[in-house]
Structure formats: structure tokens, C-alpha cells
Amino acid sequence: MDRSAPQDPRFQESPTYAKAIEEPQLLLTRASDTLLTSRLLQPIWQGGWTWRLALLGTGGGALFFFAVLLYTAVTGIGVWGNNIPVAWGFAITNFVWWIGIGHAGTFISAVLLLFEQQWRNSINRLAEAMTLFAIINAAVFPVIHLGRPWYAYWIFPYPSTMKVWPNFKGALPWDAAAISTYFTVSLVFWYIGLLPDLASARDTAPTLAKRRIYGVFALGWRGSARSWKHWQMTYLLLGGLATPLVLSVHSVVSLDFAITQLPGWHSTIFPPYFVAGAVYSGFAMVLTLMLPIRALYGVKDVITTRHLDAMAKLILVTGSIVYYTYAIETFLAWYSGNEYEMAMLLRLRLAGPYAWAVWLTFGINFIAPNLMWFKKVRYSPVLLWIVSVFINIAMWFERFFIIVTSTAQDFLPSSWHLYKPTYVDGAIFLGTFFLFAFLFLLFIRFIPFISISETKELRHTLQAEEERLGRR
Amino acid sequence: MNRGLVGSFASPEALVEAILALRAAGFRSLDAYIPYPAHEVIDALDLPRSRVPFYALGGGIFGAGYAYLIQWWMNGFDYALNVGGRPLGSVPAFIPPTFEGAVLLTAFGAVAAFLGFSKLPRLWAPVADAPGFERASVDRFFVALDATDPAWDPDKARAILLDHGAEDVSLFGQPAGVAREEAT
């Protein structure tokens, strides 16, 4: 770092400039629009046998996932480890975990859009694709957990001959409303953002068939200034709409727990606690996915150290909220003076049969965010990747212990029964990863996974600023 | 824009100069075709504010009202559910779906208005036939003058565009032979 920098006259002119050159840059390349477009579209024009092999493998895994789901649906959920009193088990743990992961994608594309954080532009497409696929995985679980998944549509208020309506005073219709809205708005937001890039793909397609397919999906986008003006407004509005969704979806999920009377669940801290945990685990998953893709596709000059640094800092913030909540939740159990609350949070969780999962979660979720204080960790893709995988694991165990401890041992010791998953539970959980990877592989092959128009806009803005300040 | 004159430029800065010159010469029915929303180009055209938010607001109000009223009617009247003696119309319990309904229909309103105002989907447009126009989504910046402009004068506009460094100027929305002839 140039220590004489503060004397530089440019610092007086632009304080943001001083900050900008202190930190790693957002975009390392200043290649022309032509080069940027062809480079970022490259992955969708060339396949390669490694991609095919990976698709085949994960596609097989996805079929295996459907087979296990079918087996469960046909046989009944008795093949799972859950029973009374632990009626939720793996299914709802996986549901909460996957839906939580989705939140980082929405956070990146919506919240950071409203706060005009330019670093979102090169990673929002990828993060939001992750959101969509995570919601698909999550949505499988409440449906299959019904036991008779073919009646899942009963949750929606449709006029039926039975003259029965859903009970909106329960959390299940809230969940259905929240998740279907979340998926639809995320999909629309993602697609509207995609239009200009689909048009670029249409206009540079190597074959007529590809030109027509991308042309249909681009809806005839020509980049008219009038359209851009409406596009910007729509994009901003959708960002503004998705922002409360980041907060509301996991709040609604947490209400599934909080509106019950169970010790360890019946708590007003749950909505913020779940939202922070969701964004935290989601950022970890974005890192887990993005770091290998960034290396494999050689886009380190578009997704730079600056992006890693910013995401690591958000992990630090949200992770700190999470372990702070662990402390407050435990303290409030003692402070409440309620004997069931105290027995659950102080004895059965911290020293009960599932204490290993609790302490694993507490340990990792305390250490992992605090590692992000160190620049060495924030700037190192390898260290970040390892930490992110640990966070994913810890966040799964967090949902696991919340669900299992509170239900396995509640008010009446005579009905206590410990939970043990079966191999079908494990196979379904494993299967979700295959489906996720399969969808993700299709995504990076057929859709430009870095927003091209936004990258070009960013390059233009940076270059204009540099020229203004007499650099280069 | 079905018929008019279109000129291409290598940079948004050059395009802005040309747009300002065209406007100074009295042309008003202008549009630009650009690969990314360069704000200086959009500002130079002096376009009216987007009215997408009104439709979004309309969608939101409808969505919230609809979601609340169907719950109130379903659980309060048509299939009155007494859950533990709680009131039939429990306002707090109806809030989460009401919120989701508002968000969903606001998004639909915004997207429908966006598609309507941008006249999408429209897979083909006359301007797309201008030579080299496929680069409007890649690396070229186009300005188009509509033939319905009261001050329509293709020769004058062409001179202004070429004067400001246009790489290529051509007419569009003409029968193919005419366009080729005039473009030379």
C-alpha cells in the first residue's frame, strides 16, 4: 500500500476514491464491451465432457432422490425415523435448512440493490439461482411430510365441492403463502434481470436454433432507452418487494415453531433469530458454490477478492447476531423462571442426549464468524471455502437440535422418546444435494451466470470515474 | 417505432453528443438502443418518469385487500372455524397471508406494467433489421429517430449523426430495396 497516498490531491476531491484504492477492486478487467460479452457468454456456448459427465452423475442422483421420495410416498412415512413425540425429525430440519440458504441470494440481489452496493452486480445472478433451487428442495419436505402428498393442494384456498376452507389461524397456510410468494417473486426478479443478457445471447448465438431459443426467452428485448427506464424502475420495485421477503419468509417459518406451546420453541426471539441464521447460512452456501465456480471458469477478475471480503464481513455480522441469540435465548430461559423452559434450555439442551449437536453448533457458529475478523481469512478463497462448509454443517445441526430436543423430551417424561433417523431419511437428504447440483449445472451451462449488462455498466462507471480523476 | 432512421456509435459519450445535437435541431421522437442502462444516455433523452409504480401500487392494494377479505370470509363466515374459542375474524392471524398477497400482486402489477410499457413480448421489431443492429445488445450504442416526428427530415438527421461520429446510419422499416438504396 502506498503510504504517501493521503497527500495525493485526488483524495481531497473524492473521499470514495481513497476508499476505493485502499480495498481490492470490484472489477480487475477493463476489457471492451465486446470482449466482456464474449467472455461471459463463453460458458453457454461450449459444453465439454466434464460438464456432461457431471450432469449425468448428478442427474442419476436426482433420479435416486425421486425414487426415495416415491418409496416414501408409496410406503408411508413410517419408513422415516420420526414418530410421536418427534413428529418433525429430518424432514422439517432439511426444510428449514434449505429455505434458509435461499435467503442470501435474495439478500444479495434485493437488499444490496436498495443500498446501491455495486459488488452485488457480479454475483447476484448466481446467488439468486441458488435461492430458486434451494426453495425447490425445501418445498419438497413439507409436501412429502404430509404422508399423503397427493392432498398437498388442500392447503390452497380453492373452491371445492367439500365446502371446506383452510384454517388461516394456523401456521401451515402461512407457510404455503410465504413460500409460494417467495419463489414466484424471486423467479420474476431473476428473469427480469436476465432479459438483457438473454438478448445478448440471442444476438451473438452461433446457430439459428440457439438464436431462436434465446430470442423467445429474451421476449424481444432490444435495449431501448424507454424499456431500460421501465426496466430499472421495475427492477428496483422488485428489489424493494424482495427485501421484506428476506425478513418475512423465515419469520413465518419460525412462527411454525414459535406459535406452539413447546419449551424451547415458544419464544418471541424466534423470527429475528431465524432470519439472521438464514442469511448467515445462505452466505456460507454462496461461498461454497461460488469459490469453485470462480476458479473453474477463470472469472477471478470479475468476482474479485473484494467480493469475498464483503461476503465474509456479512458472515461476521449475521453470525454474530446468531451466537448472540444463542446466549440471549439461554439467558431468557433462566430469567423467565419457568421450570419447563429452564429444564429444556439449560439441562436437556446443554447436557441432554443431543448435547453433542448443540455444542457442535455453538462451537462452530461462535468460531467461524469470528475468524472473519482476520483479513488473511477474508482474502483467502481456500480458508473461506473450508469455513463456509463448516457453517453449513453447523446451521443444519442448529435446526436439528431445535426440532429434536424440544419434541423428544417435553412436559411429560413418560412420553419421552429419543429420535433416530433411518437410512431413508439420510438418502432423501443426500438426494436433495444431487437435485440441487443437477439444477445448478444446467443453470451455469445455459444461462450467463454473471450478469453481463451489469458488469459492462460497472466497467463503464469505473472507467468514467478513473478518467475523471486522471488515472490511466 | 416502426419506421425511421437509426445511427450507431462506439461509445455512450458519443451517443449523448448526437442525441443532444438532434434535440437541438428540433427532433423529439427519439429513442436509444443501448447494451446497458448508461444513465447519461437515458438522461439526455429526457424521458418522462416511469409509471410502473402506479400499477405496482394498484396490484399491492388489490392483493392485500383480496388476501385479507378471502380469509375473513372463509374462516369467519363460509366455513366458520372455532379454534379454541378464539374470535372468528382473528386479525393478527390473517396478517401473514395478507402481507404475502400484497407482495405477490405488487410484483405482478410491476411486471405487467413493465411488459406493457416496453411493448414486450415482441420478438421482432423493424429497427432490428437495421444493419449491425444485433450489436445493440453487445457493444454498440444506437439512436433512432421516428419517422412520425413532426420535424422528420432524414437527410438533416443523417448529416447531424455523421457529424457527431456515427459509424453507420441507415433507414429502417422500409421495403428492403428502398432501405438498401437509401443507406448508401
Side-chain angles (χ1 to χ4, degrees):
Chain A
M1 202 111 332
D2 184 6
R3 287 285 156 221
S4 67
Q7 276 80 48
D8 193 312
R10 290 180 299 225
F11 280 83
Q12 272 86 49
E13 195 191 345
S14 164
T16 47
Y17 179 75
K19 200 166 174 296
I21 63 163
E22 280 284 329
E23 286 173 2
Q25 288 210 334
L26 272 178
L27 190 66
L28 297 175
T29 174
R30 291 291 178 275
S32 68
D33 291 341
T34 327
L35 276 171
L36 268 177
T37 311
S38 68
R39 242 193 77 197
L40 296 178
L41 279 173
Q42 188 66 15
I44 70 170
W45 303 137
Q46 65 172 37
W49 62 270
T50 39
W51 177 83
R52 279 176 204 207
L53 214 62
L55 189 78
L56 204 69
T58 53
L63 284 178
F64 159 77
F65 177 48
F66 291 126
V68 197
L69 288 181
L70 193 68
Y71 172 67
T72 306
V74 170
T75 323
I77 50 168
V79 295
W80 292 356
N82 39 355
N83 206 330
I84 301 300
V86 186
W88 283 8
F90 259 41
I92 305 302
T93 305
N94 296 340
F95 161 69
V96 180
W97 188 71
W98 274 114
I99 199 108
I101 280 169
H103 283 60
T106 321
F107 189 91
I108 288 172
S109 40
V111 181
L112 298 182
L113 175 77
L114 295 190
F115 287 115
E116 295 187 357
Q117 293 295 307
Q118 285 179 322
W119 63 270
R120 79 177 266 292
N121 290 353
S122 8
I123 55 171
N124 71 56
R125 174 90 31 89
L126 197 132
E128 208 162 351
M130 176 196 80
T131 296
L132 293 171
F133 305 147
I135 304 174
I136 292 173
N137 268 332
V140 167
F141 287 101
V143 172
I144 195 82
H145 184 254
L146 292 173
R148 285 180 289 176
W150 48 92
Y151 291 136
Y153 65 94
W154 285 9
I155 198 71
F156 293 106
Y158 69 100
S160 74
T161 51
M162 295 179 284
K163 295 209 161 221
V164 169
W165 296 113
N167 170 22
F168 290 104
K169 289 167 216 163
L172 209 54
W174 303 351
D175 249 0
I179 291 159
S180 50
T181 300
Y182 185 38
F183 184 77
T184 315
V185 173
S186 297
L187 183 69
V188 166
F189 191 29
W190 186 68
Y191 186 65
I192 295 289
L194 253 172
L195 283 179
D197 287 359
L198 292 173
S200 302
R202 172 196 65 204
D203 292 340
T204 55
T207 66
L208 185 64
K210 284 179 183 170
R211 183 182 163 78
R212 286 197 172 145
I213 293 167
Y214 283 105
V216 167
F217 281 105
L219 304 181
W221 176 264
R222 303 278 163 209
S224 137
R226 284 182 168 73
S227 306
W228 273 120
K229 192 148 183 163
H230 296 303
W231 182 90
Q232 281 180 319
M233 182 51 84
T234 311
Y235 203 60
L236 193 68
L237 280 173
L238 289 173
L241 289 169
T243 298
L245 284 184
V246 175
L247 304 176
S248 77
V249 175
H250 230 59
S251 295
V252 169
V253 170
S254 81
L255 293 178
D256 294 348
F257 295 80
I259 66 166
T260 65
Q261 306 291 337
L262 278 181
W265 286 9
H266 189 61
S267 163
T268 48
I269 209 170
F270 261 48
Y273 170 27
F274 269 47
V275 170
V279 177
Y280 169 65
S281 70
F283 270 106
M285 191 54 118
V286 174
L287 284 175
T288 311
L289 290 167
M290 198 186 70
L291 292 170
I293 289 177
R294 170 178 176 265
L296 279 173
Y297 284 89
V299 285
K300 287 184 184 172
D301 50 348
V302 182
I303 302 174
T304 67
T305 312
R306 171 77 164 274
H307 295 92
L308 307 188
D309 181 54
M311 277 191 280
K313 283 174 181 165
L314 273 164
I315 287 185
L316 172 58
V317 173
T318 49
S320 303
I321 299 174
V322 169
Y323 69 72
Y324 171 74
T325 318
Y326 294 154
I328 287 294
E329 196 193 18
T330 313
F331 166 76
L332 282 178
W334 169 76
Y335 193 66
S336 73
N338 180 305
E339 60 178 312
Y340 296 105
E341 200 69 24
M342 288 207 284
M344 174 50 61
L345 279 123
L346 304 179
R347 201 147 45 77
L348 294 172
R349 272 201 190 158
L350 300 185
Y354 299 103
W356 57 274
V358 177
W359 287 108
L360 181 86
T361 307
F362 285 5
I364 295 177
N365 283 348
F366 181 73
I367 296 166
N370 283 312
L371 284 175
M372 302 302 177
W373 288 109
F374 302 101
K375 208 175 216 175
K376 213 170 243 169
V377 181
R378 295 202 306 269
Y379 281 24
S380 155
V382 178
L383 287 177
L384 273 182
W385 194 81
I386 295 169
V387 174
S388 75
V389 171
F390 271 102
I391 294 175
N392 286 322
I393 296 171
M395 286 310 291
W396 189 86
F397 276 106
E398 182 202 280
R399 278 66 177 258
F400 175 77
F401 85 66
I402 291 174
I403 287 173
V404 171
T405 54
S406 282
T407 46
Q409 296 162 307
D410 64 354
F411 305 99
L412 206 59
S414 64
S415 62
W416 285 8
H417 191 79
L418 294 188
Y419 171 74
K420 225 178 126 216
T422 64
Y423 74 96
V424 182
D425 283 309
I428 289 180
F429 184 45
L430 183 70
T432 56
F433 289 99
F434 282 115
L435 180 64
F436 184 81
F438 178 70
L439 293 170
F440 214 84
L441 281 169
L442 287 176
F443 158 70
I444 53 175
R445 173 72 176 79
F446 293 111
I447 292 168
F449 64 86
I450 292 176
S451 172
I452 303 169
S453 66
E454 281 171 314
T455 306
K456 286 192 281 198
E457 190 187 358
L458 179 64
R459 186 204 59 102
H460 175 69
T461 317
L462 291 176
Q463 213 159 29
E465 180 75 355
E466 281 163 3
E467 268 163 29
R468 198 175 67 77
L469 296 167
R471 214 162 162 236
R472 276 166 204 268
Chain B
M1 207 176 278
N2 289 321
R3 204 166 71 84
L5 184 80
V6 66
S8 73
F9 293 83
S11 74
E13 289 79 12
L15 182 68
V16 168
E17 295 298 318
I19 290 173
L20 293 178
L22 285 172
R23 287 179 59 84
F27 297 111
R28 284 295 174 270
S29 300
L30 296 170
D31 202 351
Y33 296 89
I34 45 182
Y36 52 85
H39 63 90
E40 58 267 46
V41 175
I42 296 175
D43 292 347
L45 284 166
D46 197 21
L47 298 171
R49 270 187 75 126
S50 170
R51 278 179 293 130
V52 167
F54 291 103
Y55 291 84
L57 179 68
I61 292 170
F62 175 75
Y66 181 75
Y68 188 84
L69 287 175
I70 60 163
Q71 294 179 78
W72 176 71
W73 177 73
M74 286 171 184
N75 282 179
F77 296 94
D78 196 48
Y79 185 63
L81 269 179
N82 184 336
V83 183
R86 289 176 187 84
L88 292 175
S90 327
V91 181
F94 294 164
I95 293 303
T98 305
F99 168 79
E100 303 297 341
V103 169
L104 187 67
L105 283 237
T106 312
F108 283 168
V111 170
F114 159 69
L115 292 176
F117 284 133
S118 315
K119 299 189 179 67
L120 297 176
R122 187 191 189 192
L123 296 191
W124 175 81
V127 69
D129 282 350
F133 191 78
E134 65 279 357
R135 291 177 77 176
S137 65
V138 182
D139 57 355
R140 283 297 177 272
F141 301 79
F142 290 75
V143 59
L145 172 65
D146 197 328
T148 57
D149 192 310
W152 168 249
D153 182 350
D155 298 328
K156 189 176 160 200
R158 182 195 301 273
I160 292 172
L161 289 176
L162 290 172
D163 213 35
H164 285 84
E167 293 181 330
D168 191 20
V169 181
S170 53
L171 287 160
F172 66 90
Q174 304 275 8
V178 182
R180 209 172 300 123
E181 194 179 304
E182 287 192 24
T184 46

